[in-house]
Amino acid sequence: MKIFNTLSRMKEDFKPIEEGKLSMYVCGPTVYNLIHIGNARPMIIFDTFRRYMAHKGYDVNYVSNFTDVDDKIIKKANEEGVDPHEISERYIKECKKDMEGMNVMPASTHPKATEEIDGMIDMISTLIEKGYAYEVPDGTVYFRARKFKEYGKLSHKKLDDLGTGFGRELKVAGADGKEDSLDFVLWKPKKEGEPYWESPWCEGRPGWHIECSVMSKKYLGETIDIHAGGEDLIFPHHENEIAQSEATNGKPFANYWMHNGFLNINNEKMSKSKGNFFTVRDIAQKYDLQVLRFFMLTAHYRSPLNFSDELMEAAKTSLQRIQTAAESLDFLISNAKSSDMTDDEKALIPEIEGFTEKFDSVMDDDLNTADAITVVFELVKFINTNTGENSSKDFMVKLKDELVMLTDILGLKIEKEEELLDSDIEKLIEERNQARKDKNFARADEIRDELKAKGIILEDTRAGVKWKRS
Ligand code: AMP
Ligand code: ZN
């Protein structure tokens, strides 16, 4: 497997720290709003990477955080007159719903920054002891960036291009006590009405960068295989994470750094702060989220990707072509006249298995999902030309398995989930009412859970049972 490593700016052969294992940390969203489709890009890309590595036999430990304390969360909480915790919990829940819709697997661990404050205080204390950090009179703690000799190695920036330092202009430290303009915050004092934690320096809260250094260490260890996120995070976020972690641990932080390109709208970066964004929920109004996933995979993850209605429509049609092939195959399989493969069919087996090889070889080249989709279409074409009423069941099952395996790696669901009709729901509610009358509460609960799994919420009211789709 070759991975483009932002550290070396080269495609490198992937060598895990431990044979057969992969430890990976992906920076997650700040939860103050519904996630937008730009946030969805790293989720879908690195979920696909993870699925592919599992297919190759790796035992993947995948950690992705939620940043649940931040100025934007506090601002939103103040606007709504609620506790910041209520805002972050609400949007974590909504984010998980969107992930499920996009078929993004839950991480092995989803740590939340506010639950890891002790670890952050420990790391900051170590950095102060080692001379990498300093406290100023108001209780703010800064990281002394120039002391970390390799500062700039990820973003390939020279220190003097990054900042001038305060030496010449100010002669003394900045007005805020900062020694150098490159220094960044590790801990900051609370402001009126903000959430805070006790610390040796002041009642306050952590800076953003320290969160990821601490959570990555706690859940994956001092050195991990891969750290990933959108390319906007290279500087300063990831550069600062490296400085903090390597200064603390005296070891490399991550061996490979993967960054996805931006999702743009009208060739401009889409972001919440610019206001030019679509939420995943907006897209779900119009499309099955599988279409969004498919769209994201049609470009190489490091290229910028421009979002447009035309491309979404094209993605929808393409995905349907795969789904139609799968459905026709299912129909033929259930009506097959014979089960054993003919000699002619057996002769085609190496060609079928060749699709996996080709798929793997393009994915091995820095996760080329665009070419992987081309391979899936070649398989669809093969299925359409080589199956019919006279094909054997075994042959068609082999093809179906191949198609499901490849689309599963891409996280694309090709089998339509049966939607419950209103009449089916009514029937089940009727059966549940009867079960309750018969005091068969186990069955009644089972029906409620079954409906819940299909997105139907029941509400028991005086006027009877009401239901809605969630
Ligand atoms: P944020 O909530 O802004 O901290 O972002 C969460 C993740 O989404 C990070 O990995 C960002 O790099 C990524 N991200 C945010 N906006 C975009 C975008 N327009 N295109 C691609 N990735 C993005
Ligand atoms: Zn991070």
Side-chain angles (χ1 to χ4, degrees), residues 29-30 32-43 95 98 102 232 263 265 269-283 292 296:
T30 306
Y32 67 100
N33 213 333
L34 292 173
I35 58 162
H36 61 61
I37 54 177
N39 301 135
R41 191 171 188 196
M43 285 179 184
C95 177
D98 287 336
M102 298 186 294
D232 53 334
L263 184 78
I265 289 195
K269 186 202 166 194
M270 194 183 75
S271 71
K272 284 184 213 164
S273 50
K274 281 194 191 153
N276 63 337
F277 69 95
F278 291 112
T279 62
V280 169
R281 221 46 79 79
D282 292 333
I283 303 303
L292 182 66
M296 297 278 187

PDB file of all heavy atoms in Angstrom, residues 29-30 32-43 95 98 102 232 263 265 269-283 292 296:
ATOM      1  N   PRO A  29     -15.196  16.769  13.981  1.00  0.00           N
ATOM      2  CA  PRO A  29     -15.783  18.107  13.898  1.00  0.00           C
ATOM      3  C   PRO A  29     -15.955  18.796  15.244  1.00  0.00           C
ATOM      4  O   PRO A  29     -15.997  18.157  16.290  1.00  0.00           O
ATOM      5  CB  PRO A  29     -17.155  17.832  13.278  1.00  0.00           C
ATOM      6  CG  PRO A  29     -17.492  16.452  13.724  1.00  0.00           C
ATOM      7  CD  PRO A  29     -16.194  15.704  13.826  1.00  0.00           C
ATOM      8  N   THR A  30     -16.047  20.121  15.162  1.00  0.00           N
ATOM      9  CA  THR A  30     -16.448  20.922  16.309  1.00  0.00           C
ATOM     10  C   THR A  30     -17.972  20.954  16.270  1.00  0.00           C
ATOM     11  O   THR A  30     -18.553  21.321  15.253  1.00  0.00           O
ATOM     12  CB  THR A  30     -15.879  22.349  16.176  1.00  0.00           C
ATOM     13  OG1 THR A  30     -14.472  22.231  15.973  1.00  0.00           O
ATOM     14  CG2 THR A  30     -16.154  23.180  17.407  1.00  0.00           C
ATOM     15  N   TYR A  32     -21.157  22.375  16.893  1.00  0.00           N
ATOM     16  CA  TYR A  32     -22.017  23.507  17.268  1.00  0.00           C
ATOM     17  C   TYR A  32     -23.135  23.705  16.263  1.00  0.00           C
ATOM     18  O   TYR A  32     -23.890  24.667  16.331  1.00  0.00           O
ATOM     19  CB  TYR A  32     -21.190  24.793  17.400  1.00  0.00           C
ATOM     20  CG  TYR A  32     -20.595  25.320  16.112  1.00  0.00           C
ATOM     21  CD1 TYR A  32     -21.191  26.364  15.424  1.00  0.00           C
ATOM     22  CD2 TYR A  32     -19.437  24.757  15.581  1.00  0.00           C
ATOM     23  CE1 TYR A  32     -20.646  26.850  14.244  1.00  0.00           C
ATOM     24  CE2 TYR A  32     -18.890  25.232  14.417  1.00  0.00           C
ATOM     25  CZ  TYR A  32     -19.492  26.271  13.745  1.00  0.00           C
ATOM     26  OH  TYR A  32     -18.953  26.740  12.572  1.00  0.00           O
ATOM     27  N   ASN A  33     -23.218  22.778  15.301  1.00  0.00           N
ATOM     28  CA  ASN A  33     -24.186  22.908  14.235  1.00  0.00           C
ATOM     29  C   ASN A  33     -24.293  21.546  13.554  1.00  0.00           C
ATOM     30  O   ASN A  33     -23.460  20.685  13.792  1.00  0.00           O
ATOM     31  CB  ASN A  33     -23.625  23.924  13.224  1.00  0.00           C
ATOM     32  CG  ASN A  33     -24.732  24.720  12.581  1.00  0.00           C
ATOM     33  OD1 ASN A  33     -25.846  24.231  12.475  1.00  0.00           O
ATOM     34  ND2 ASN A  33     -24.419  25.929  12.157  1.00  0.00           N
ATOM     35  N   LEU A  34     -25.255  21.406  12.637  1.00  0.00           N
ATOM     36  CA  LEU A  34     -25.287  20.186  11.836  1.00  0.00           C
ATOM     37  C   LEU A  34     -24.024  20.163  10.975  1.00  0.00           C
ATOM     38  O   LEU A  34     -23.575  21.216  10.536  1.00  0.00           O
ATOM     39  CB  LEU A  34     -26.510  20.205  10.913  1.00  0.00           C
ATOM     40  CG  LEU A  34     -27.866  20.089  11.596  1.00  0.00           C
ATOM     41  CD1 LEU A  34     -28.983  20.303  10.576  1.00  0.00           C
ATOM     42  CD2 LEU A  34     -28.008  18.715  12.254  1.00  0.00           C
ATOM     43  N   ILE A  35     -23.460  19.001  10.736  1.00  0.00           N
ATOM     44  CA  ILE A  35     -22.232  18.971   9.926  1.00  0.00           C
ATOM     45  C   ILE A  35     -22.552  19.321   8.473  1.00  0.00           C
ATOM     46  O   ILE A  35     -23.641  19.037   7.984  1.00  0.00           O
ATOM     47  CB  ILE A  35     -21.493  17.609   9.979  1.00  0.00           C
ATOM     48  CG1 ILE A  35     -22.378  16.460   9.519  1.00  0.00           C
ATOM     49  CG2 ILE A  35     -20.927  17.362  11.358  1.00  0.00           C
ATOM     50  CD1 ILE A  35     -21.578  15.218   9.149  1.00  0.00           C
ATOM     51  N   HIS A  36     -21.573  19.962   7.809  1.00  0.00           N
ATOM     52  CA  HIS A  36     -21.783  20.294   6.398  1.00  0.00           C
ATOM     53  C   HIS A  36     -21.059  19.265   5.528  1.00  0.00           C
ATOM     54  O   HIS A  36     -20.313  18.416   6.036  1.00  0.00           O
ATOM     55  CB  HIS A  36     -21.378  21.734   6.100  1.00  0.00           C
ATOM     56  CG  HIS A  36     -19.934  22.069   6.355  1.00  0.00           C
ATOM     57  ND1 HIS A  36     -18.897  21.443   5.702  1.00  0.00           N
ATOM     58  CD2 HIS A  36     -19.359  22.977   7.176  1.00  0.00           C
ATOM     59  CE1 HIS A  36     -17.753  21.968   6.088  1.00  0.00           C
ATOM     60  NE2 HIS A  36     -18.009  22.888   7.019  1.00  0.00           N
ATOM     61  N   ILE A  37     -21.293  19.367   4.220  1.00  0.00           N
ATOM     62  CA  ILE A  37     -20.752  18.309   3.364  1.00  0.00           C
ATOM     63  C   ILE A  37     -19.224  18.383   3.238  1.00  0.00           C
ATOM     64  O   ILE A  37     -18.601  17.417   2.818  1.00  0.00           O
ATOM     65  CB  ILE A  37     -21.451  18.270   1.980  1.00  0.00           C
ATOM     66  CG1 ILE A  37     -21.396  19.629   1.293  1.00  0.00           C
ATOM     67  CG2 ILE A  37     -22.905  17.823   2.135  1.00  0.00           C
ATOM     68  CD1 ILE A  37     -22.006  19.612  -0.107  1.00  0.00           C
ATOM     69  N   GLY A  38     -18.629  19.528   3.631  1.00  0.00           N
ATOM     70  CA  GLY A  38     -17.151  19.599   3.696  1.00  0.00           C
ATOM     71  C   GLY A  38     -16.645  18.713   4.822  1.00  0.00           C
ATOM     72  O   GLY A  38     -15.695  17.949   4.652  1.00  0.00           O
ATOM     73  N   ASN A  39     -17.311  18.759   5.968  1.00  0.00           N
ATOM     74  CA  ASN A  39     -16.938  17.883   7.097  1.00  0.00           C
ATOM     75  C   ASN A  39     -17.142  16.419   6.715  1.00  0.00           C
ATOM     76  O   ASN A  39     -16.462  15.532   7.225  1.00  0.00           O
ATOM     77  CB  ASN A  39     -17.804  18.131   8.337  1.00  0.00           C
ATOM     78  CG  ASN A  39     -17.744  19.546   8.852  1.00  0.00           C
ATOM     79  OD1 ASN A  39     -18.775  20.129   9.169  1.00  0.00           O
ATOM     80  ND2 ASN A  39     -16.565  20.116   8.940  1.00  0.00           N
ATOM     81  N   ALA A  40     -18.115  16.191   5.825  1.00  0.00           N
ATOM     82  CA  ALA A  40     -18.424  14.806   5.448  1.00  0.00           C
ATOM     83  C   ALA A  40     -17.305  14.194   4.609  1.00  0.00           C
ATOM     84  O   ALA A  40     -17.129  12.982   4.588  1.00  0.00           O
ATOM     85  CB  ALA A  40     -19.739  14.751   4.665  1.00  0.00           C
ATOM     86  N   ARG A  41     -16.533  15.060   3.924  1.00  0.00           N
ATOM     87  CA  ARG A  41     -15.501  14.499   3.034  1.00  0.00           C
ATOM     88  C   ARG A  41     -14.468  13.672   3.801  1.00  0.00           C
ATOM     89  O   ARG A  41     -14.262  12.502   3.459  1.00  0.00           O
ATOM     90  CB  ARG A  41     -14.842  15.602   2.185  1.00  0.00           C
ATOM     91  CG  ARG A  41     -13.985  14.997   1.081  1.00  0.00           C
ATOM     92  CD  ARG A  41     -13.483  15.999   0.067  1.00  0.00           C
ATOM     93  NE  ARG A  41     -12.838  15.273  -1.036  1.00  0.00           N
ATOM     94  CZ  ARG A  41     -12.030  15.803  -1.938  1.00  0.00           C
ATOM     95  NH1 ARG A  41     -11.790  17.093  -1.903  1.00  0.00           N
ATOM     96  NH2 ARG A  41     -11.484  15.067  -2.878  1.00  0.00           N
ATOM     97  N   PRO A  42     -13.793  14.235   4.839  1.00  0.00           N
ATOM     98  CA  PRO A  42     -12.843  13.370   5.558  1.00  0.00           C
ATOM     99  C   PRO A  42     -13.520  12.149   6.194  1.00  0.00           C
ATOM    100  O   PRO A  42     -12.923  11.075   6.259  1.00  0.00           O
ATOM    101  CB  PRO A  42     -12.237  14.289   6.630  1.00  0.00           C
ATOM    102  CG  PRO A  42     -13.111  15.493   6.695  1.00  0.00           C
ATOM    103  CD  PRO A  42     -13.778  15.616   5.362  1.00  0.00           C
ATOM    104  N   MET A  43     -14.764  12.330   6.645  1.00  0.00           N
ATOM    105  CA  MET A  43     -15.439  11.174   7.269  1.00  0.00           C
ATOM    106  C   MET A  43     -15.555  10.028   6.267  1.00  0.00           C
ATOM    107  O   MET A  43     -15.266   8.879   6.579  1.00  0.00           O
ATOM    108  CB  MET A  43     -16.843  11.561   7.729  1.00  0.00           C
ATOM    109  CG  MET A  43     -16.838  12.402   8.981  1.00  0.00           C
ATOM    110  SD  MET A  43     -18.525  12.820   9.403  1.00  0.00           S
ATOM    111  CE  MET A  43     -18.208  13.882  10.789  1.00  0.00           C
ATOM    112  N   CYS A  95     -24.761  14.431  14.442  1.00  0.00           N
ATOM    113  CA  CYS A  95     -23.621  14.033  13.604  1.00  0.00           C
ATOM    114  C   CYS A  95     -23.613  12.509  13.430  1.00  0.00           C
ATOM    115  O   CYS A  95     -23.399  11.997  12.336  1.00  0.00           O
ATOM    116  CB  CYS A  95     -22.318  14.512  14.250  1.00  0.00           C
ATOM    117  SG  CYS A  95     -20.852  14.000  13.362  1.00  0.00           S
ATOM    118  N   ASP A  98     -26.086  11.486  10.858  1.00  0.00           N
ATOM    119  CA  ASP A  98     -25.600  11.721   9.498  1.00  0.00           C
ATOM    120  C   ASP A  98     -24.568  10.672   9.101  1.00  0.00           C
ATOM    121  O   ASP A  98     -24.558  10.193   7.973  1.00  0.00           O
ATOM    122  CB  ASP A  98     -24.982  13.126   9.375  1.00  0.00           C
ATOM    123  CG  ASP A  98     -26.045  14.215   9.385  1.00  0.00           C
ATOM    124  OD1 ASP A  98     -27.206  13.927   9.043  1.00  0.00           O
ATOM    125  OD2 ASP A  98     -25.711  15.367   9.734  1.00  0.00           O
ATOM    126  N   MET A 102     -24.645   8.108   5.915  1.00  0.00           N
ATOM    127  CA  MET A 102     -23.592   8.039   4.894  1.00  0.00           C
ATOM    128  C   MET A 102     -22.853   6.707   4.962  1.00  0.00           C
ATOM    129  O   MET A 102     -21.873   6.500   4.249  1.00  0.00           O
ATOM    130  CB  MET A 102     -22.601   9.194   5.097  1.00  0.00           C
ATOM    131  CG  MET A 102     -23.234  10.568   4.939  1.00  0.00           C
ATOM    132  SD  MET A 102     -22.027  11.910   5.024  1.00  0.00           S
ATOM    133  CE  MET A 102     -21.454  11.815   6.712  1.00  0.00           C
ATOM    134  N   ASP A 232      -6.854  21.806   5.492  1.00  0.00           N
ATOM    135  CA  ASP A 232      -6.821  23.077   6.235  1.00  0.00           C
ATOM    136  C   ASP A 232      -6.238  22.889   7.637  1.00  0.00           C
ATOM    137  O   ASP A 232      -5.895  23.858   8.304  1.00  0.00           O
ATOM    138  CB  ASP A 232      -8.237  23.694   6.334  1.00  0.00           C
ATOM    139  CG  ASP A 232      -9.261  22.729   6.901  1.00  0.00           C
ATOM    140  OD1 ASP A 232      -9.070  21.502   6.778  1.00  0.00           O
ATOM    141  OD2 ASP A 232     -10.258  23.205   7.480  1.00  0.00           O
ATOM    142  N   LEU A 263     -13.596  20.452  -0.212  1.00  0.00           N
ATOM    143  CA  LEU A 263     -14.815  20.389  -0.993  1.00  0.00           C
ATOM    144  C   LEU A 263     -15.194  21.845  -1.238  1.00  0.00           C
ATOM    145  O   LEU A 263     -15.302  22.635  -0.297  1.00  0.00           O
ATOM    146  CB  LEU A 263     -15.911  19.689  -0.197  1.00  0.00           C
ATOM    147  CG  LEU A 263     -17.173  19.498  -0.998  1.00  0.00           C
ATOM    148  CD1 LEU A 263     -17.006  18.327  -1.943  1.00  0.00           C
ATOM    149  CD2 LEU A 263     -18.349  19.249  -0.094  1.00  0.00           C
ATOM    150  N   ILE A 265     -17.494  24.968  -3.332  1.00  0.00           N
ATOM    151  CA  ILE A 265     -18.744  25.300  -4.017  1.00  0.00           C
ATOM    152  C   ILE A 265     -18.403  26.501  -4.875  1.00  0.00           C
ATOM    153  O   ILE A 265     -17.808  27.472  -4.371  1.00  0.00           O
ATOM    154  CB  ILE A 265     -19.856  25.641  -3.007  1.00  0.00           C
ATOM    155  CG1 ILE A 265     -20.264  24.358  -2.301  1.00  0.00           C
ATOM    156  CG2 ILE A 265     -21.036  26.306  -3.693  1.00  0.00           C
ATOM    157  CD1 ILE A 265     -21.543  24.412  -1.555  1.00  0.00           C
ATOM    158  N   LYS A 269     -13.688  27.437  -1.154  1.00  0.00           N
ATOM    159  CA  LYS A 269     -13.791  26.496  -0.032  1.00  0.00           C
ATOM    160  C   LYS A 269     -15.118  26.701   0.682  1.00  0.00           C
ATOM    161  O   LYS A 269     -15.505  27.838   0.959  1.00  0.00           O
ATOM    162  CB  LYS A 269     -12.642  26.702   0.956  1.00  0.00           C
ATOM    163  CG  LYS A 269     -12.656  25.643   2.033  1.00  0.00           C
ATOM    164  CD  LYS A 269     -11.929  26.027   3.296  1.00  0.00           C
ATOM    165  CE  LYS A 269     -12.295  25.059   4.413  1.00  0.00           C
ATOM    166  NZ  LYS A 269     -11.908  25.539   5.724  1.00  0.00           N
ATOM    167  N   MET A 270     -15.772  25.577   0.935  1.00  0.00           N
ATOM    168  CA  MET A 270     -17.030  25.680   1.632  1.00  0.00           C
ATOM    169  C   MET A 270     -16.760  25.667   3.131  1.00  0.00           C
ATOM    170  O   MET A 270     -15.998  24.839   3.607  1.00  0.00           O
ATOM    171  CB  MET A 270     -17.853  24.454   1.274  1.00  0.00           C
ATOM    172  CG  MET A 270     -19.259  24.599   1.652  1.00  0.00           C
ATOM    173  SD  MET A 270     -20.138  23.114   1.299  1.00  0.00           S
ATOM    174  CE  MET A 270     -19.528  22.180   2.617  1.00  0.00           C
ATOM    175  N   SER A 271     -17.328  26.589   3.863  1.00  0.00           N
ATOM    176  CA  SER A 271     -17.128  26.511   5.313  1.00  0.00           C
ATOM    177  C   SER A 271     -18.260  27.191   6.055  1.00  0.00           C
ATOM    178  O   SER A 271     -18.957  28.048   5.507  1.00  0.00           O
ATOM    179  CB  SER A 271     -15.785  27.115   5.720  1.00  0.00           C
ATOM    180  OG  SER A 271     -15.834  28.508   5.566  1.00  0.00           O
ATOM    181  N   LYS A 272     -18.404  26.767   7.295  1.00  0.00           N
ATOM    182  CA  LYS A 272     -19.491  27.314   8.107  1.00  0.00           C
ATOM    183  C   LYS A 272     -19.282  28.807   8.288  1.00  0.00           C
ATOM    184  O   LYS A 272     -20.219  29.586   8.221  1.00  0.00           O
ATOM    185  CB  LYS A 272     -19.499  26.642   9.483  1.00  0.00           C
ATOM    186  CG  LYS A 272     -20.062  25.237   9.460  1.00  0.00           C
ATOM    187  CD  LYS A 272     -20.134  24.672  10.872  1.00  0.00           C
ATOM    188  CE  LYS A 272     -19.906  23.180  10.877  1.00  0.00           C
ATOM    189  NZ  LYS A 272     -19.603  22.602  12.163  1.00  0.00           N
ATOM    190  N   SER A 273     -17.996  29.209   8.484  1.00  0.00           N
ATOM    191  CA  SER A 273     -17.772  30.625   8.771  1.00  0.00           C
ATOM    192  C   SER A 273     -18.066  31.505   7.555  1.00  0.00           C
ATOM    193  O   SER A 273     -18.478  32.647   7.699  1.00  0.00           O
ATOM    194  CB  SER A 273     -16.358  30.852   9.301  1.00  0.00           C
ATOM    195  OG  SER A 273     -15.442  30.227   8.442  1.00  0.00           O
ATOM    196  N   LYS A 274     -17.874  30.972   6.335  1.00  0.00           N
ATOM    197  CA  LYS A 274     -18.172  31.780   5.140  1.00  0.00           C
ATOM    198  C   LYS A 274     -19.668  31.762   4.825  1.00  0.00           C
ATOM    199  O   LYS A 274     -20.156  32.567   4.023  1.00  0.00           O
ATOM    200  CB  LYS A 274     -17.427  31.225   3.930  1.00  0.00           C
ATOM    201  CG  LYS A 274     -15.981  31.628   3.884  1.00  0.00           C
ATOM    202  CD  LYS A 274     -15.425  31.325   2.495  1.00  0.00           C
ATOM    203  CE  LYS A 274     -13.930  31.455   2.468  1.00  0.00           C
ATOM    204  NZ  LYS A 274     -13.333  30.610   1.454  1.00  0.00           N
ATOM    205  N   GLY A 275     -20.371  30.815   5.395  1.00  0.00           N
ATOM    206  CA  GLY A 275     -21.813  30.749   5.171  1.00  0.00           C
ATOM    207  C   GLY A 275     -22.204  30.117   3.838  1.00  0.00           C
ATOM    208  O   GLY A 275     -23.379  29.982   3.532  1.00  0.00           O
ATOM    209  N   ASN A 276     -21.226  29.701   3.008  1.00  0.00           N
ATOM    210  CA  ASN A 276     -21.571  29.070   1.720  1.00  0.00           C
ATOM    211  C   ASN A 276     -21.527  27.552   1.859  1.00  0.00           C
ATOM    212  O   ASN A 276     -20.623  26.902   1.371  1.00  0.00           O
ATOM    213  CB  ASN A 276     -20.603  29.519   0.615  1.00  0.00           C
ATOM    214  CG  ASN A 276     -19.182  29.087   0.903  1.00  0.00           C
ATOM    215  OD1 ASN A 276     -18.823  28.843   2.048  1.00  0.00           O
ATOM    216  ND2 ASN A 276     -18.367  28.960  -0.122  1.00  0.00           N
ATOM    217  N   PHE A 277     -22.476  27.028   2.581  1.00  0.00           N
ATOM    218  CA  PHE A 277     -22.392  25.589   2.783  1.00  0.00           C
ATOM    219  C   PHE A 277     -23.751  24.903   2.741  1.00  0.00           C
ATOM    220  O   PHE A 277     -24.785  25.533   2.933  1.00  0.00           O
ATOM    221  CB  PHE A 277     -21.692  25.275   4.113  1.00  0.00           C
ATOM    222  CG  PHE A 277     -22.493  25.660   5.338  1.00  0.00           C
ATOM    223  CD1 PHE A 277     -23.300  24.725   5.976  1.00  0.00           C
ATOM    224  CD2 PHE A 277     -22.436  26.946   5.842  1.00  0.00           C
ATOM    225  CE1 PHE A 277     -24.036  25.074   7.098  1.00  0.00           C
ATOM    226  CE2 PHE A 277     -23.175  27.295   6.967  1.00  0.00           C
ATOM    227  CZ  PHE A 277     -23.974  26.360   7.594  1.00  0.00           C
ATOM    228  N   PHE A 278     -23.703  23.610   2.428  1.00  0.00           N
ATOM    229  CA  PHE A 278     -24.883  22.754   2.549  1.00  0.00           C
ATOM    230  C   PHE A 278     -24.616  21.790   3.689  1.00  0.00           C
ATOM    231  O   PHE A 278     -23.523  21.227   3.771  1.00  0.00           O
ATOM    232  CB  PHE A 278     -25.092  21.907   1.292  1.00  0.00           C
ATOM    233  CG  PHE A 278     -25.491  22.695   0.086  1.00  0.00           C
ATOM    234  CD1 PHE A 278     -24.619  22.822  -0.991  1.00  0.00           C
ATOM    235  CD2 PHE A 278     -26.734  23.313   0.013  1.00  0.00           C
ATOM    236  CE1 PHE A 278     -24.979  23.546  -2.114  1.00  0.00           C
ATOM    237  CE2 PHE A 278     -27.109  24.033  -1.108  1.00  0.00           C
ATOM    238  CZ  PHE A 278     -26.228  24.156  -2.176  1.00  0.00           C
ATOM    239  N   THR A 279     -25.605  21.573   4.518  1.00  0.00           N
ATOM    240  CA  THR A 279     -25.437  20.540   5.533  1.00  0.00           C
ATOM    241  C   THR A 279     -25.730  19.182   4.891  1.00  0.00           C
ATOM    242  O   THR A 279     -26.379  19.112   3.832  1.00  0.00           O
ATOM    243  CB  THR A 279     -26.404  20.748   6.718  1.00  0.00           C
ATOM    244  OG1 THR A 279     -27.735  20.647   6.218  1.00  0.00           O
ATOM    245  CG2 THR A 279     -26.201  22.101   7.379  1.00  0.00           C
ATOM    246  N   VAL A 280     -25.264  18.137   5.561  1.00  0.00           N
ATOM    247  CA  VAL A 280     -25.570  16.785   5.091  1.00  0.00           C
ATOM    248  C   VAL A 280     -27.094  16.602   5.117  1.00  0.00           C
ATOM    249  O   VAL A 280     -27.685  15.969   4.245  1.00  0.00           O
ATOM    250  CB  VAL A 280     -24.835  15.747   5.961  1.00  0.00           C
ATOM    251  CG1 VAL A 280     -25.330  14.338   5.677  1.00  0.00           C
ATOM    252  CG2 VAL A 280     -23.326  15.852   5.754  1.00  0.00           C
ATOM    253  N   ARG A 281     -27.727  17.206   6.113  1.00  0.00           N
ATOM    254  CA  ARG A 281     -29.187  17.108   6.234  1.00  0.00           C
ATOM    255  C   ARG A 281     -29.900  17.758   5.041  1.00  0.00           C
ATOM    256  O   ARG A 281     -30.920  17.269   4.569  1.00  0.00           O
ATOM    257  CB  ARG A 281     -29.607  17.788   7.536  1.00  0.00           C
ATOM    258  CG  ARG A 281     -30.669  17.127   8.364  1.00  0.00           C
ATOM    259  CD  ARG A 281     -30.492  15.653   8.557  1.00  0.00           C
ATOM    260  NE  ARG A 281     -29.527  15.257   9.545  1.00  0.00           N
ATOM    261  CZ  ARG A 281     -29.728  15.258  10.848  1.00  0.00           C
ATOM    262  NH1 ARG A 281     -30.882  15.617  11.340  1.00  0.00           N
ATOM    263  NH2 ARG A 281     -28.778  14.844  11.664  1.00  0.00           N
ATOM    264  N   ASP A 282     -29.324  18.897   4.530  1.00  0.00           N
ATOM    265  CA  ASP A 282     -29.913  19.522   3.327  1.00  0.00           C
ATOM    266  C   ASP A 282     -29.899  18.523   2.171  1.00  0.00           C
ATOM    267  O   ASP A 282     -30.867  18.397   1.430  1.00  0.00           O
ATOM    268  CB  ASP A 282     -29.079  20.742   2.856  1.00  0.00           C
ATOM    269  CG  ASP A 282     -29.130  21.911   3.818  1.00  0.00           C
ATOM    270  OD1 ASP A 282     -30.132  22.024   4.547  1.00  0.00           O
ATOM    271  OD2 ASP A 282     -28.164  22.711   3.840  1.00  0.00           O
ATOM    272  N   ILE A 283     -28.764  17.845   2.025  1.00  0.00           N
ATOM    273  CA  ILE A 283     -28.612  16.911   0.904  1.00  0.00           C
ATOM    274  C   ILE A 283     -29.584  15.743   1.060  1.00  0.00           C
ATOM    275  O   ILE A 283     -30.169  15.265   0.087  1.00  0.00           O
ATOM    276  CB  ILE A 283     -27.150  16.393   0.818  1.00  0.00           C
ATOM    277  CG1 ILE A 283     -26.180  17.564   0.674  1.00  0.00           C
ATOM    278  CG2 ILE A 283     -26.972  15.385  -0.320  1.00  0.00           C
ATOM    279  CD1 ILE A 283     -26.427  18.472  -0.505  1.00  0.00           C
ATOM    280  N   LEU A 292     -24.366  10.882  -1.993  1.00  0.00           N
ATOM    281  CA  LEU A 292     -23.321  11.806  -1.535  1.00  0.00           C
ATOM    282  C   LEU A 292     -21.998  11.053  -1.360  1.00  0.00           C
ATOM    283  O   LEU A 292     -20.937  11.514  -1.767  1.00  0.00           O
ATOM    284  CB  LEU A 292     -23.741  12.466  -0.212  1.00  0.00           C
ATOM    285  CG  LEU A 292     -22.760  13.476   0.351  1.00  0.00           C
ATOM    286  CD1 LEU A 292     -22.643  14.703  -0.541  1.00  0.00           C
ATOM    287  CD2 LEU A 292     -23.160  13.918   1.767  1.00  0.00           C
ATOM    288  N   MET A 296     -18.461  11.681  -3.421  1.00  0.00           N
ATOM    289  CA  MET A 296     -17.169  11.977  -2.780  1.00  0.00           C
ATOM    290  C   MET A 296     -16.072  11.034  -3.277  1.00  0.00           C
ATOM    291  O   MET A 296     -14.904  11.387  -3.307  1.00  0.00           O
ATOM    292  CB  MET A 296     -17.269  11.810  -1.263  1.00  0.00           C
ATOM    293  CG  MET A 296     -18.234  12.748  -0.608  1.00  0.00           C
ATOM    294  SD  MET A 296     -17.511  14.350  -0.324  1.00  0.00           S
ATOM    295  CE  MET A 296     -18.834  15.109   0.624  1.00  0.00           C
TER     296      MET A 296
END
